[in-house]
């Protein structure tokens, strides 16, 4: 008895000694937590310190780097026994996805600071990990906590550096002070101005790509994404608002309530205000709450009031002072409550996680796709990142829902077709990403309501209620015939990969022509937009053959060699219809009226997808720039209104008349219309007396959505004889994000909506559908010797609408 007591005393003393050695965040940083914004490298230092001091309970890994070379960290926090068996716990947990696991540990993943200027969460993470290692270590006996202290280090440091530069000393609570008003280039997004909280499914950004590799190695039971909202809002936590996607299980719904009630218990005790079941729904699949949910987790968003407006302290609309210390305490409380409840329910979490993967009986068993090989391969690349299996069917016919027709149909399959089925581990995610039209339980949503991958990638598809057998699918590789003694080299124009190939040639000084008419030569047929590279045009390039061969191999481009320029049908290669492609010299407007997100999509497209140079010109000094140094000016979407005055419009008109090209996107179009502008015009709507009928105030929000389009997919008509539409068929499925409506032009209507504007997928209000019927989507106005390209819808939206990107490439290279 005495020995046992002494053993207990010795163990307890060791625990006290170990925890006493750990410095709190305030002790380590040298200032009280909440009195400064901690820069990212200091956060890294603290996590590294804890891993060094408590290596038996903290395992720290670097899972990647940002565009600005900041490290991305994960800290695994648990008991010494669990950390020593971490890999076996992971492997046993993953067996539950195949109904074979036997683990009793809860896996909780806490993600902080996905939006850089919602910076309180990283501060709260430091307090959370410290308390888990000290006063709340009992939670870790049966729980592994995975902590990502900062998903978006580039955005966080942009904000914290800005705030530390502009704040008063110590700080000013008056909201009118500069420290509460970030500029255009704010800290919310990552380096390329992308919203990382909307990139979980699309994986366009390096942070998302690197994080998901590790996430898929764990597939936690619970995932929390810590955020901030407007400074005057109380705290938000689960349960989420409707709409819930139909694949979300009863247990996932119920456990959100369990967690929410436990959070409420702590908030009630402190007199803190909060709300649940409002605003933040579980539908759009690319969030930090929904994507984990569709992979079996209890996925949640927690929202603290403050954000970039909050600073170290600010007076709210009701006269209260909200401090960074308050905000830290709230996020710390919900974080600890989440771990507490998960620890108490570890056995149930494991059992229900296993059921999630065992119970997948969906209407559509297989999705079968046909289309351009480059688009098929692009989709395969995304599926590989998600660890979604796919294959090729045998030759035959498959029946089911036809995505193009919007009803029953059939499709002939070959070994080049693609089959993605739901009878696999990621079957639920497959349904969510591929379903033709996700069931919407409530039209009041926080984000877009349609995203189906067959539409996004421009592929013909059938959703089959039967399981379609398939073999492993190999990547389709094009063969090239680059004979050094040929007259010309010809290749097709169908995808972004083709645009990358062209961009590489132009950057290397290779002269390239395009065909404005279909033609056939030496027994092969080519469509409009096909690229023609002749030896005669490139006699000045000693390394011509080397550059052409390298580029074709790099992008897997099939090249056809021709010994003649004399065609069998169409226009000979010396015809004026076989035009030289002008090398674009491109400028893009930033700042001022443009949206950071819309600008970022363009910036990322050029630097990380097309690999072609562009010059960024800020609105602050745009008037001083000589536009004659460029032949293409891109105006990103945004809120322009009447941004350009009469003198500025005249300057733009003169530049276009001389041969310049404007690509106006979204809200930028509005700035070019009108009496002193270009020829584009908004549609005039007939007055509808029924639409003016008064309705009760309680219905005001639902009345407003009659005029809204919350990210819906529409089928448009395409004039693919127009250079802006080279490489497309007669139809295009566009993702429409609002009710902006412009009349058809006299000519140049490359893509447009006709009379029927019922969306194929997603929600569009009844009044909004009336507004957009018979309206322009993409078009070109010839103006003097130049052009204005109008893009009412956004072909680059969030970088994931793959089938829209060729339109943008056409605007750069084909429109002349």
């Amino acid at each position: 008895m005495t020995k046992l007591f002494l053993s207990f005393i010795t163990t307890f003393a060791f625990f006290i000694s170990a925890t006493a050695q750990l410095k709190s965040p305030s002790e380590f940083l040298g200032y009280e937590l909440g009195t400064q914004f901690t820069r990212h490298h200091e956060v890294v230092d603290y996590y590294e310190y804890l891993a060094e001091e408590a290596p038996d309970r903290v395992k720290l890994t670097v899972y990647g780097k940002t565009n600005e070379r900041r490290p991305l960290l994960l800290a695994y926090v648990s008991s010494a026994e669990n950390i020593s068996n971490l890999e076996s716990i992971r492997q046993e947990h993953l067996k539950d996805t195949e109904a074979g696991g036997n683990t009793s540990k809860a896996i909780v993943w806490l993600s902080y600071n996905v939006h850089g200027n919602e910076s309180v969460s990283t501060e709260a993470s430091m307090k959370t990990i410290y308390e888990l290692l000290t006063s709340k270590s009992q939670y870790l006996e049966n729980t592994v906590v995975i902590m990502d202290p900062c998903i978006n280090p580039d955005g966080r440091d942009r904000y914290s550096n800005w705030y530390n530069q502009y704040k008063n000393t110590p700080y000013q609570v008056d909201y009118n002070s500069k420290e509460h008003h970030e500029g255009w280039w704010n800290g919310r997004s990552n380096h390329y101005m992308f919203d990382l909280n909307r990139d979980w499914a699309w994986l366009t950004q390096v942070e998302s790509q690197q994080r998901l590799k590790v996430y898929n190695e764990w597939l936690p039971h619970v995932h929390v994404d810590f955020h901030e909202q407007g400074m005057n809002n109380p705290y938000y936590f689960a349960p989420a608002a409707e709409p819930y996607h139909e694949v979300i299980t009863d247990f996932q719904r119920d456990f959100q309530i369990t967690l929410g009630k436990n959070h409420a218990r702590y908030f009630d005790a402190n007199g803190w205000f909060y709300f649940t079941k409002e605003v933040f729904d579980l539908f759009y699949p690319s969030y930090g709450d929904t994507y984990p949910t569709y992979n079996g987790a209890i996925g949640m968003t927690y929202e603290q009031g403050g954000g970039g407006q909050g600073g170290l302290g600010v007076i709210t609309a009701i006269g209260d002072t909200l401090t960074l210390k308050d905000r830290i305490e709230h996020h710390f409380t919900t974080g600890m409550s989440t771990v507490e409840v998960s620890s108490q329910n570890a056995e149930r979490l494991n059992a229900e996680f296993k059921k999630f993967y065992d119970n997948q009986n969906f209407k559509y068993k297989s999705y079968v796709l046909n289309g351009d090989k480059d688009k098929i391969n692009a989709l395969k690349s995304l599926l590989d990142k998600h660890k979604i299996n796919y294959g090729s069917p045998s030759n035959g016919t498959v029946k089911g829902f036809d995505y193009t027709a919007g009803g029953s149909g059939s499709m002939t399959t070959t070994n080049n077709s693609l089959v993605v089925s739901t009878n696999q581990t990621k079957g639920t995610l497959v349904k969510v990403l591929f379903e033709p039209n996700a069931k919407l339980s409530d039209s009041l949503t926080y984000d877009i309501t349609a995203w189906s991958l067959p539409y996004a990638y421009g592929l013909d598809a059938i959703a089959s209620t039967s399981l379609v057998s398939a073999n492993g699918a190999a990547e389709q590789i094009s063969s090239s015939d680059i004979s050094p003694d040929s007259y010309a080299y010809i290749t097709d124009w169908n995808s972004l990969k083709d645009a990358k190939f062209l961009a590489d040639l132009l950057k290397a000084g290779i002269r390239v022509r395009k065909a404005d008419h279909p033609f056939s030569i030496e027994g092969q047929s080519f469509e409009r937009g096909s690229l023609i590279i002749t030896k005669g045009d490139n006699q000045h390039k000693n390394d011509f053959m080397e550059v052409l061969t390298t580029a074709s191999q790099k992008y897997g481009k099939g090249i056809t060699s021709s010994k003649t320029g004399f065609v069998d049908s169409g226009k000979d290669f010396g015809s004026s219809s076989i035009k030289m492609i002008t090398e674009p010299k491109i400028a893009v407007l930033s700042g001022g009226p443009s949206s950071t997100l819309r600008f970022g999509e363009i910036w990322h497209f050029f630097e990380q997808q097309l690999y072609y140079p562009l010059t960024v010109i800020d609105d602050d000094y745009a008037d001083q720039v000589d536009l004659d140094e460029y032949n293409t000016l891109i105006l990103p979407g945004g809120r322009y209104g009447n941004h350009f005055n009469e003198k500025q419009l005249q300057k733009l008109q003169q530049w276009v008349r001389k041969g310049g090209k404007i690509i106006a996107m979204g809200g930028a179009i509005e700035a070019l219309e009108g009496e002193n502008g270009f020829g584009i015009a908004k549609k005039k709507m007939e007055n509808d007396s029924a639409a003016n009928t008064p309705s009760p105030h309680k219905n005001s929000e639902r009345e407003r959505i009659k005029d809204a389009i919350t990210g819906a997919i529409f089928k448009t008509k395409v004039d693919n004889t127009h250079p802006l539409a080279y490489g497309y068929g007669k139809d295009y499925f566009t993702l429409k994000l609002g009710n902006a409506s412009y009349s058809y032009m006299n000519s140049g209507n490359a893509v447009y909506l006709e009379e029927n504007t019922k969306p194929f997928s997603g929600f569009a209000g009844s009044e909004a559908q009336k507004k957009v019927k018979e309206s322009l989507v993409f078009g070109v106005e010839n103006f003097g010797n130049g052009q204005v390209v109008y893009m009412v819808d956004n072909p680059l939206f969030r970088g994931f609408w793959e089938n829209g990107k060729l339109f943008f490439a056409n605007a750069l290279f084909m429109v002349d």
Side-chain angles (χ1 to χ4, degrees):
M1 191 72 176
T2 304
K3 289 182 178 180
L4 182 62
F5 179 74
L6 289 173
S7 175
F8 171 78
I9 292 295
T10 302
T11 302
F12 183 75
F14 175 79
F15 169 78
I16 293 297
S17 175
T19 56
Q21 292 174 4
L22 291 180
K23 295 180 180 179
S24 69
S26 298
E27 292 170 328
F28 179 85
L29 295 169
Y31 53 83
E32 186 180 357
L33 198 66
T35 61
Q36 300 284 343
F37 281 109
T38 309
R39 288 184 169 88
H40 182 255
H41 75 274
E42 297 172 311
V43 177
V44 172
D45 289 346
Y46 184 62
Y47 273 80
E48 288 179 341
Y49 158 76
L50 292 177
E52 291 172 0
E53 293 297 316
D56 58 329
R57 291 172 292 142
V58 180
K59 179 183 177 182
L60 193 65
T61 63
V62 176
Y63 66 85
K65 286 188 176 181
T66 68
N67 289 288
E68 297 174 15
R69 304 189 307 279
R70 293 180 176 89
L72 295 163
L73 302 183
L74 280 181
Y76 300 88
V77 188
S78 195
S79 67
E81 180 182 359
N82 291 339
I83 291 296
S84 66
N85 295 299
L86 194 61
E87 180 58 18
S88 62
I89 291 172
R90 184 187 73 83
Q91 292 182 6
E92 196 65 28
H93 167 64
L94 288 184
K95 289 179 183 178
D96 276 349
T97 64
E98 305 294 338
N102 185 27
T103 180
S104 58
K105 304 295 188 293
I107 313 296
V108 178
W109 188 306
L110 306 178
S111 291
Y112 299 91
N113 222 156
V114 67
H115 293 147
N117 59 3
E118 298 176 10
S119 49
V120 63
S121 66
T122 291
E123 309 288 345
S125 81
M126 292 188 284
K127 181 173 183 178
T128 301
I129 189 172
Y130 174 73
E131 295 298 335
L132 283 173
L133 291 170
T134 54
S135 64
K136 299 297 182 180
S137 61
Q138 68 272 20
Y139 296 164
L140 302 178
E141 293 303 314
N142 67 342
T143 305
V144 175
V145 181
I146 305 171
M147 301 180 67
D148 189 332
C150 188
I151 289 178
N152 182 9
D154 292 350
R156 177 184 174 79
D157 268 3
R158 188 183 311 124
Y159 173 74
S160 60
N161 290 339
W162 172 86
Y163 185 81
N164 288 333
Q165 180 179 1
Y166 285 104
K167 75 178 181 70
N168 293 97
T169 300
Y171 60 89
Q172 173 56 263
V173 296
D174 182 354
Y175 178 66
N176 293 318
S177 190
K178 169 70 174 175
E179 66 188 86
H180 302 293
H181 296 272
E182 288 179 271
W184 179 83
W185 205 300
N186 61 66
R188 177 182 174 87
S189 46
N190 76 340
H191 172 81
Y192 280 108
M193 301 284 108
F194 267 69
D195 184 337
L196 294 178
N197 189 41
R198 287 160 173 81
D199 193 49
W200 278 76
W202 319 133
L203 301 176
T204 68
Q205 302 302 295
V206 294
E207 295 92 342
S208 308
Q209 294 162 12
Q210 295 170 113
R211 177 184 355 103
L212 201 72
K213 287 180 183 177
V214 188
Y215 189 90
N216 274 322
E217 292 173 358
W218 278 95
L219 296 176
H221 296 115
V222 176
H223 180 268
V224 180
D225 203 15
F226 290 87
H227 286 261
E228 290 184 79
Q229 53 188 324
M231 69 179 204
N232 294 311
N233 292 325
Y235 199 97
Y236 164 82
F237 50 72
E242 290 285 354
Y244 279 67
H245 195 285
E246 63 178 318
V247 302
I248 297 173
T249 67
D250 290 342
F251 170 72
Q252 287 174 313
R253 287 171 171 261
D254 292 343
F255 202 76
Q256 285 210 349
I257 297 172
T258 300
L259 284 159
K261 286 183 176 180
N262 200 62
H263 301 342
R265 182 167 61 89
Y266 289 109
F267 273 58
D268 291 343
N270 285 283
W272 298 336
F273 289 98
Y274 56 90
F275 68 101
T276 66
K277 304 180 288 293
E278 295 181 70
V279 183
F280 303 103
D281 58 65
L282 287 176
F283 194 66
Y284 172 68
S286 205
Y287 283 137
D289 54 7
T290 51
Y291 183 86
T293 298
Y294 301 149
N295 282 275
I298 313 300
M300 295 170 293
T301 289
Y302 296 167
E303 296 268 358
Q304 163 64 46
Q309 301 172 313
L312 292 177
V314 66
I315 296 177
T316 66
I318 61 173
D320 290 341
T321 298
L322 175 68
T323 68
L324 182 59
K325 290 181 180 180
D326 298 329
R327 291 150 61 195
I328 290 172
E329 196 62 28
H330 299 161
H331 264 340
F332 163 74
T333 300
T334 55
M336 296 301 292
S337 173
T338 300
V339 179
E340 176 188 29
V341 174
S342 300
S343 177
Q344 293 169 349
N345 291 272
E347 184 176 342
R348 188 180 177 204
L349 285 168
N350 277 281
E352 295 292 340
F353 184 80
K354 187 179 295 185
K355 287 181 185 177
F356 178 91
Y357 282 96
D358 188 43
N359 183 27
Q360 298 175 339
N361 184 25
F362 302 125
K363 175 182 178 181
Y364 296 122
K365 304 298 189 294
S366 295
Y367 301 92
V368 186
L369 305 101
N370 279 343
D372 177 78
K373 65 181 183 303
D374 291 343
K375 295 176 182 177
I376 290 281
N377 289 335
L379 178 57
K380 288 179 184 177
S381 177
L382 179 68
L383 299 179
D384 287 339
K385 293 181 177 70
H386 288 294
K387 293 191 174 182
I388 291 174
N389 299 323
Y390 51 83
S392 293
S394 56
N395 294 356
T397 301
V398 62
K399 297 179 180 180
F401 178 87
D402 185 323
Y403 282 67
T404 302
S408 297
S410 63
M411 187 168 69
T412 301
T413 61
T414 70
N415 56 8
N416 290 325
S417 302
L418 188 70
V419 177
V420 187
S421 298
T422 55
N423 67 330
Q424 59 173 298
T425 301
K426 291 295 190 79
T428 300
L429 184 62
V430 169
K431 173 190 163 52
V432 171
L433 295 181
F434 280 83
E435 60 191 337
N437 193 7
K439 183 179 178 181
L440 195 60
S441 62
D442 193 326
S443 53
L444 287 174
T445 61
Y446 195 65
D447 212 292
I448 66 173
T449 56
W451 52 79
S452 183
L453 291 181
Y455 292 127
Y457 279 75
L459 296 167
D460 297 326
I462 293 286
S464 172
T465 56
S466 300
L467 185 65
V468 178
S469 60
N471 302 313
E475 183 173 354
Q476 302 175 39
I477 304 296
S478 299
S479 60
S480 293
D481 172 25
I482 305 181
S483 175
D485 58 351
S486 296
Y487 176 86
Y489 306 92
I490 312 162
T491 188
D492 58 3
W493 180 261
N494 296 300
S495 70
L496 180 60
K497 184 182 285 188
D498 302 334
K500 294 178 181 181
F501 169 74
L502 173 60
D504 265 20
L505 295 183
L506 294 178
K507 287 187 296 181
I510 302 296
R511 302 174 79 190
V512 183
R513 295 176 183 265
K514 65 183 176 75
D516 283 334
H517 298 275
F519 67 94
S520 63
I521 189 169
E522 297 182 348
Q524 294 195 53
S525 298
F526 296 90
E527 297 297 325
R528 290 180 176 86
S530 294
L531 305 179
I532 301 168
I533 308 112
T534 69
K535 266 191 172 180
D537 283 329
N538 292 285
Q539 294 179 19
H540 64 292
K541 289 291 292 181
N542 294 329
D543 59 348
F544 168 63
M545 291 304 301
E546 180 185 350
V547 172
L548 179 61
T549 301
T550 300
S552 68
Q553 292 174 346
K554 179 179 179 181
Y555 295 110
K557 282 295 296 171
I559 304 291
T560 299
S561 297
S562 175
K563 294 184 179 298
T564 180
F566 187 94
V567 300
D568 301 329
S569 66
K571 306 292 184 179
D572 293 329
F573 291 176
S575 167
S576 60
S577 295
I578 308 295
K579 297 177 182 176
M580 190 75 70
I581 295 175
T582 302
E583 180 183 355
K585 296 180 180 178
I586 303 165
V588 59
L589 184 71
S590 72
S594 66
S595 158
T596 57
L597 297 174
R598 305 293 82 86
F599 164 77
E601 289 158 358
I602 296 166
W603 185 20
H604 184 267
F605 176 81
F606 277 96
E607 293 194 355
Q608 298 298 323
Q609 298 176 64
L610 187 63
Y611 310 114
Y612 195 84
L614 83 162
T615 298
V616 177
I617 298 175
D618 197 82
D619 184 63
D620 284 346
Y621 60 83
D623 279 345
Q624 304 168 34
V625 173
D626 181 6
L627 284 180
D628 289 340
E629 295 183 20
Y630 312 94
N631 56 30
T632 305
L633 173 64
I634 303 172
L635 302 178
R639 297 181 178 179
Y640 285 72
N642 298 317
H643 177 74
F644 299 122
N645 59 38
E646 185 175 348
K647 183 178 178 181
Q648 290 170 322
L649 280 172
Q650 288 176 352
K651 179 181 176 181
L652 287 174
Q653 288 172 336
Q654 291 170 3
W655 177 74
V656 174
R657 282 194 184 97
K658 290 188 295 182
K661 183 196 302 178
I662 294 175
I663 301 175
M665 306 179 72
I669 298 174
E670 186 177 6
L672 301 183
E673 66 167 333
E675 183 178 346
N676 298 314
F678 294 86
I680 191 75
K682 282 185 178 177
K683 275 193 64 180
K684 294 181 179 179
M685 300 298 300
E686 296 179 6
N687 185 43
D688 185 349
S689 58
N692 297 322
T693 303
S695 64
H697 175 73
K698 67 177 182 178
N699 296 335
S700 59
E701 190 171 14
R702 296 199 175 274
E703 284 297 313
R704 283 197 297 271
I705 67 171
K706 290 182 179 180
D707 205 35
I709 298 175
T710 51
I713 297 171
F714 290 79
K715 186 177 183 179
T716 66
K717 297 302 294 181
V718 178
D719 176 6
N720 59 8
T721 67
H722 194 287
L724 187 59
Y726 284 172
Y728 286 92
K730 292 294 187 181
D731 301 314
Y732 168 70
F733 289 92
T734 188
L735 181 64
K736 188 166 279 293
L737 302 162
N739 64 10
S741 180
Y742 290 87
S743 299
Y744 297 157
M745 300 184 292
N746 292 332
S747 63
N749 303 290
V751 183
Y752 51 93
L753 281 163
E754 295 185 309
E755 179 77 17
N756 182 9
T757 53
K758 181 180 179 181
F760 264 53
S761 182
F763 174 80
S766 56
E767 293 302 313
Q769 290 185 46
K770 294 176 186 177
K771 284 186 177 182
V772 300
K773 73 177 182 179
E774 297 180 335
S775 67
L776 182 71
V777 175
F778 302 137
V780 179
E781 176 187 356
N782 291 319
F783 195 88
N785 292 322
Q787 305 85 27
V788 183
V789 180
Y790 300 109
M791 293 189 152
V792 180
D793 293 350
N794 183 1
L796 303 181
F797 180 67
R798 293 182 185 167
F800 90 94
W801 202 255
E802 200 70 22
N803 198 35
K805 294 174 183 177
L806 188 62
F807 281 117
F808 195 79
N810 283 337
L812 298 173
F813 300 118
M814 295 291 163
V815 172
D816 55 14

